[in-house]
Amino acid sequence: METLKNIAMSYYDALIPDQRYLAYLEGIKVTILISFFAILLGVAIGMLVAVVKVSNVNSKRFLMRVVAKLCNIYITIIRGTPLMVQLLIIYNLIFTSRSTNEIVIGAVCFGINSGAYVAEIIRAGIESIERGQMEAGRSLGLNHMQTMRLIIMPQAIKNILPALGNEFIVLIKETSVASVIAVTDLLQAAQYVGSRTWDILPPLVIAAACYLVLVMGLTKLLAIFERRMARGDRH
Amino acid sequence: MIVTKNLKKAFGSQMVLNGINETIQKGEKVVVIGPSGSGKSTFLRCLNLLEVPTEGEIWFEGNNITDKKANIDKIRCKMGMVFQQFNLFPHLTVMENITLAPVKLGLMNKEEAEQKATELLKRIGLVEKATAYPNQLSGGQKQRIAIVRALAMNPDLMLFDEPTSALDPEMVGEVLDLMAQLADEGMTMVVVTHEMRFAKKVATRILFMDEGKIVDQNTPDEFFEHPTHPRLIEFLSKIL
């Protein structure tokens, strides 16, 4: 009985006194904002890189082949080095001014990182669409980009939605690494509370629960989206 | 209408088209037959540059479309193409399949395009399928929709790449009937097919291809009744 009471007390301490729950909320807000903009940036980069790669690997134009090569190098480097190292390098390389908004820093770092993975997912999606779709679009007079945008992409996105959702989930959780560059995200908030209460475990568990809720919310959202996209399948 | 000059196409070191000189006039219905691997599909796909020729020129309505400066997207608007695998867009409804290109290319506004699509669908008796998705249709319906989709662009020339080869036998008729109707209305057509009865009935000229060349051509009657080329005689004896 006594132990239960102690546990309850430690969680109470980690949440209520000095309005500590506000620290978590603030942290959640930062985590969500970073994740959100990183996902947007990642998808934008990923889409661009994927389209460049599938469209130009065998292009006759020298410049486009060079661009495609550069995309490959980007993917290789990002996928081949640890996220935390990238984070520190980008932080010290680009955002040398410490006054830069922490959400911007986080979003850019994680967006650049996620872009490489998203690019490969989208490329797989584009390549899963049979060649005839591109030919049909082109034969109707649409140009390459229009066909990509109107015909290939919508189908590709539908096919890769589960993989893409997975990447988003990973991204949300990995934003916790941002605490190494002094971003006050959810994990940082938990550590801050822990340093105040001299009891680190309850805040960490609370933070973990918050991540779990975030990820579950996203999963739900993706499921709804996936159902919407599934129209046109045989019913 | 469409002229090819010394058209050659190689895939790697393999010559698929070996110098084709051919002129197709407006209103002609040209059927291309030949053994598999003879290059007939490649020839057809070269006509709207889905395959880029390795050598030679293609002229369409007085323009050299193999020229680097030619706007191939504009030219393709005037050449409808129907594929063996239908290639309908599975994420769009039948109506959207038909109206997508004319609307996005600014040839018609949405209302005009939908009106035209409805007319075309009425004509093939599938107007009630306008809101259906391609996966809910039979093969024959899909192919007829694909033909209608090409027609919605008001093309001057229609290319058919083995349009009935992927169909169940009982659905071949409905597609060929629609094609025959088009032919009657004066559409210029180039058809790659194995349907000899269709060729006999509809074609104004039949080309026989073998090993990347047009080795013989004639009117349907002469072609089937009095074949002269030894390779053609052999081919016909196998399939008839």
Side-chain angles (χ1 to χ4, degrees):
Chain A
M1 202 60 216
E2 196 61 13
T3 29
L4 265 179
K5 205 176 157 200
N6 278 343
I7 291 174
M9 203 55 212
S10 64
Y11 279 87
Y12 174 83
D13 279 343
L15 267 175
I16 308 299
D18 303 332
Q19 295 186 303
R20 286 183 182 136
Y21 53 88
L22 285 182
Y24 298 104
L25 288 179
E26 209 39 48
I28 290 174
K29 200 181 92 190
V30 171
T31 292
I32 288 180
L33 284 174
I34 290 179
S35 306
F36 179 74
F37 289 112
I39 285 174
L40 287 189
L41 186 65
V43 168
I45 293 177
M47 223 174 244
L48 203 73
V49 170
V51 170
V52 167
K53 268 189 77 174
V54 290
S55 308
N56 294 312
V57 184
N58 297 315
S59 171
K60 286 196 184 71
R61 300 226 301 277
F62 178 71
L63 182 71
M64 293 320 282
R65 280 210 311 274
V66 171
V67 174
K69 259 268 157 11
L70 286 177
C71 290
N72 266 332
I73 292 173
Y74 159 73
I75 290 173
T76 308
I77 291 178
I78 295 291
R79 291 204 305 183
T81 54
L83 173 63
M84 198 191 281
V85 178
Q86 292 166 18
L87 193 66
L88 288 168
I89 289 177
I90 293 176
Y91 178 59
N92 288 300
L93 191 74
I94 302 171
F95 299 102
T96 41
S97 151
R98 293 296 189 265
S99 60
T100 317
N101 184 317
E102 58 180 31
I103 291 171
V104 174
I105 301 173
V108 169
C109 289
F110 290 105
I112 290 175
N113 177 272
S114 181
Y117 295 92
V118 172
E120 286 300 274
I121 294 172
I122 293 182
R123 188 178 61 87
I126 293 173
E127 282 170 0
S128 74
I129 306 301
E130 51 178 318
R131 218 166 65 128
Q133 293 288 309
M134 175 58 83
E135 290 180 348
R138 295 305 304 272
S139 78
L140 288 166
L142 300 169
N143 65 33
H144 183 87
M145 271 303 149
Q146 284 171 321
T147 312
M148 252 319 164
R149 183 164 54 83
L150 298 166
I151 291 159
I152 308 295
M153 272 301 177
Q155 298 181 56
I157 299 275
K158 195 183 88 180
N159 288 353
I160 61 176
L161 215 51
L164 213 49
N166 210 23
E167 168 60 23
F168 295 163
I169 287 169
V170 169
L171 178 62
I172 288 189
K173 293 186 300 180
E174 286 200 328
T175 56
S176 62
V177 176
S179 47
V180 300
I181 55 166
V183 174
T184 51
D185 70 330
L186 181 52
L187 179 62
Q188 185 81 332
Q191 284 177 331
Y192 163 77
V193 172
S195 72
R196 285 310 190 78
T197 57
W198 298 96
D199 187 4
I200 188 67
L201 204 54
L204 287 179
V205 172
I206 291 168
C210 292
Y211 279 115
L212 185 61
V213 170
L214 283 181
V215 168
M216 281 164 62
L218 180 71
T219 310
K220 194 96 196 156
L221 222 67
L222 285 165
I224 293 171
F225 196 56
E226 219 168 305
R227 263 206 304 281
R228 283 252 308 271
M229 298 280 280
R231 63 191 187 146
D233 290 350
R234 188 182 289 278
H235 6 143
Chain B
M1 167 167 259
I2 194 157
V3 182
T4 68
K5 295 180 184 168
N6 192 30
L7 184 65
K8 288 187 181 172
K9 174 73 187 176
F11 291 116
S13 60
Q14 198 196 354
M15 286 302 274
V16 182
L17 294 182
N18 223 329
I20 295 194
N21 294 291
E22 192 53 56
T23 302
I24 294 164
Q25 304 290 346
K26 191 168 171 44
E28 274 198 288
K29 296 104 187 61
V30 176
V31 171
V32 185
I33 65 171
S36 61
S38 60
K40 47 195 195 312
S41 276
T42 308
F43 170 61
L44 191 78
R45 290 159 56 83
C46 275
L47 293 181
N48 69 351
L49 297 192
L50 280 183
E51 300 292 353
V52 181
T54 322
E55 222 183 296
E57 289 177 3
I58 301 168
W59 291 70
F60 177 66
E61 297 182 333
N63 303 309
N64 180 0
I65 64 172
T66 36
D67 188 59
K68 275 204 175 62
K69 275 172 251 140
N71 181 347
I72 184 58
D73 298 321
K74 271 257 154 47
I75 295 155
R76 286 200 184 115
C77 293
K78 289 283 146 206
M79 295 195 216
M81 176 135 188
V82 176
F83 299 86
Q84 182 176 355
Q85 299 296 338
F86 329 130
N87 293 346
L88 291 177
F89 307 133
H91 62 303
L92 300 175
T93 63
V94 166
M95 180 57 90
E96 290 164 341
N97 260 279
I98 301 170
T99 58
L100 178 84
V103 173
K104 293 292 175 187
L105 293 171
L107 304 177
M108 303 176 197
N109 65 32
K110 196 155 182 277
E111 288 74 45
E112 289 167 348
E114 282 183 358
Q115 200 185 342
K116 166 113 191 171
T118 311
E119 266 168 42
L120 287 165
L121 284 174
K122 265 192 193 133
R123 171 184 168 166
I124 58 170
L126 290 177
V127 74
E128 78 279 8
K129 297 288 186 192
T131 55
Y133 285 93
N135 284 344
Q136 297 163 296
L137 305 173
S138 72
Q141 290 172 332
K142 280 185 203 170
Q143 193 60 299
R144 286 186 292 148
I145 303 276
I147 294 173
V148 161
R149 178 175 71 177
L151 289 176
M153 296 289 291
N154 292 318
D156 296 338
L157 166 71
M158 286 284 283
L159 308 172
F160 293 86
D161 188 4
E162 304 198 20
T164 55
S165 297
L167 293 173
D168 291 339
E170 76 266 27
M171 293 172 182
V172 170
E174 58 189 81
V175 172
L176 292 181
D177 284 348
L178 175 58
M179 288 166 64
Q181 272 178 41
L182 280 180
D184 284 345
E185 289 162 19
M187 177 63 78
T188 313
M189 295 164 53
V190 183
V191 186
V192 171
T193 187
H194 296 292
E195 295 292 331
M196 295 304 147
R197 264 184 305 166
F198 174 82
K200 234 180 230 173
K201 200 173 80 181
V202 174
T204 54
R205 188 152 61 102
I206 299 180
L207 309 180
F208 176 66
M209 283 186 72
D210 191 31
E211 291 174 347
K213 284 196 176 119
I214 295 175
V215 294
D216 198 10
Q217 57 171 297
N218 218 326
T219 57
D221 289 343
E222 286 294 309
F223 189 88
F224 288 110
E225 304 307 324
H226 310 288
T228 49
H229 197 282
R231 191 70 188 80
L232 173 59
I233 295 171
E234 186 197 338
F235 178 71
L236 289 177
S237 72
K238 276 184 197 152
I239 56 164
L240 292 180

